[in-house]
Amino acid sequence: MAHDDPHGTTRSGFELSTDLEPLASQVISMLRERQTVTTAGARQVAVDYLLRATSARTGFDPCLVLDEMRGFRLTVDAIIDLYIPQVAFALGELWLSSDMSFADVTIASLRLQALLSEASLGLNGAHADDPGTIHALVVVPEGEQHFLGASVVAAQLRRLGGDVSLSISETRKQVMARVICDQPNMVLFSCARIAALESITRTVKTIRASVDTPPVLALGGSVRASAEGMKGQTDVDLVTKSAADVYGFCTKRMKALGQL
């Protein structure tokens, strides 16, 4: 008959194997690692997977990777808002530390862009001709080479219901042609370097001088400078890293003007 034994046997009478103890420790350690969360709130195991997938020497299938990310019980919103930016940041750090070449980082970034496009397929936003639609122009200034962050912002604005256009490294004249022709309700400048602030300042000044009712002008991005200082220098309406903040600000402005 099975019985309890204080000397290490189970109720069935078989002795516990001490060989299982290292395995149990490994399993517990692995489970703890799966629960590790980055300072930005992302689960580290999912970040690590996406970093490996975008950096692999083998091919990259954005549809398959999106399915794998969903396997971590992640929503598409979380993948767009949190995980793609987190991996983009990690790629930048690897390049700065010389652990990845510029070419490899570029390829990985393009793969993230492909994943973002796949994840954004259902985010069509509002139809451009629908009444009450907020039209946005996201601008990456001339000479800037980043594009992924601006694409993430565009996806977020579409999810909020906006109609969004992108201007990537166009001249000030080209940006102004878009503003005059399309008449967006808001223009968002994505800035990564202090050097780009001068160009943004000139563009903002030209917009304010050329349009009777200027759109909401916002500045964001990874540039490292004080928000108050950048707002004063560029004369934008607000400096923020949140697409929702700009969308809300614009909505209030349009309601005050009787446009909504």
Side-chain angles (χ1 to χ4, degrees):
M1 180 181 295
H3 61 278
D4 291 315
D5 188 328
H7 299 292
T9 58
T10 66
R11 291 183 61 85
S12 61
F14 292 103
E15 294 185 357
L16 291 171
S17 172
T18 56
D19 292 339
L20 293 177
E21 293 179 3
L23 177 60
S25 297
Q26 292 176 17
V27 171
I28 292 171
S29 177
M30 180 184 70
L31 291 174
R32 285 176 177 172
E33 289 177 0
R34 283 182 176 274
Q35 299 305 317
T36 301
V37 176
T38 69
T39 55
R43 289 166 55 200
Q44 188 64 53
V45 63
V47 173
D48 291 343
Y49 163 75
L50 185 53
L51 184 59
R52 288 195 303 271
T54 54
S55 305
R57 295 291 181 180
T58 55
F60 181 84
D61 183 340
C63 185
L64 178 60
V65 171
L66 182 60
D67 286 341
E68 291 289 338
M69 292 295 288
R70 284 172 170 157
F72 291 107
R73 296 183 179 179
L74 302 175
T75 64
V76 171
D77 291 353
I79 294 169
I80 292 173
D81 296 350
L82 188 56
Y83 287 87
I84 289 176
Q86 277 278 283
V87 172
F89 176 80
L91 289 170
E93 292 294 303
L94 288 169
W95 176 57
L96 289 174
S97 62
S98 299
D99 290 311
M100 281 187 75
S101 69
F102 180 77
D104 287 339
V105 169
T106 300
I107 292 171
S109 297
L110 290 172
R111 288 173 168 178
L112 283 178
Q113 182 72 39
L115 177 63
L116 176 60
S117 298
E118 183 68 27
S120 302
L121 287 178
L123 304 178
N124 296 323
H127 191 277
D129 295 328
D130 288 345
T133 296
I134 293 180
H135 303 275
L137 175 63
V138 180
V139 178
V140 177
E142 184 179 11
E144 291 287 271
Q145 296 181 349
H146 69 281
F147 57 88
L148 188 58
S151 298
V152 168
V153 169
Q156 292 169 336
L157 291 171
R158 291 189 182 104
R159 190 172 67 225
L160 290 167
D163 173 60
V164 188
S165 298
L166 276 166
S167 167
I168 306 294
S169 196
E170 293 182 325
T171 65
R172 186 162 71 258
K173 184 176 180 180
Q174 290 172 315
V175 173
M176 283 306 306
R178 285 179 177 269
V179 172
I180 293 172
C181 179
D182 299 339
Q183 298 183 4
N185 303 112
M186 56 183 172
V187 178
L188 301 84
F189 295 94
S190 178
C191 183
R193 302 178 304 127
I194 293 290
L197 291 175
E198 184 177 347
S199 172
I200 292 171
T201 300
R202 291 197 299 267
T203 303
V204 169
K205 184 177 180 179
T206 304
I207 291 174
R208 292 198 182 281
S210 305
V211 182
D212 291 336
T213 304
V216 169
L217 301 169
L219 173 62
S222 59
V223 60
R224 296 182 178 181
S226 74
E228 184 178 346
M230 290 191 292
K231 186 175 185 296
Q233 176 181 343
T234 59
D235 194 31
V236 294
D237 295 301
L238 72 163
V239 176
T240 179
K241 296 182 184 297
S242 169
D245 284 351
V246 185
Y247 196 88
F249 186 97
C250 185
T251 299
K252 291 179 181 179
R253 169 78 65 86
M254 292 176 68
K255 286 181 178 178
L257 294 173
Q259 298 174 344
L260 281 180

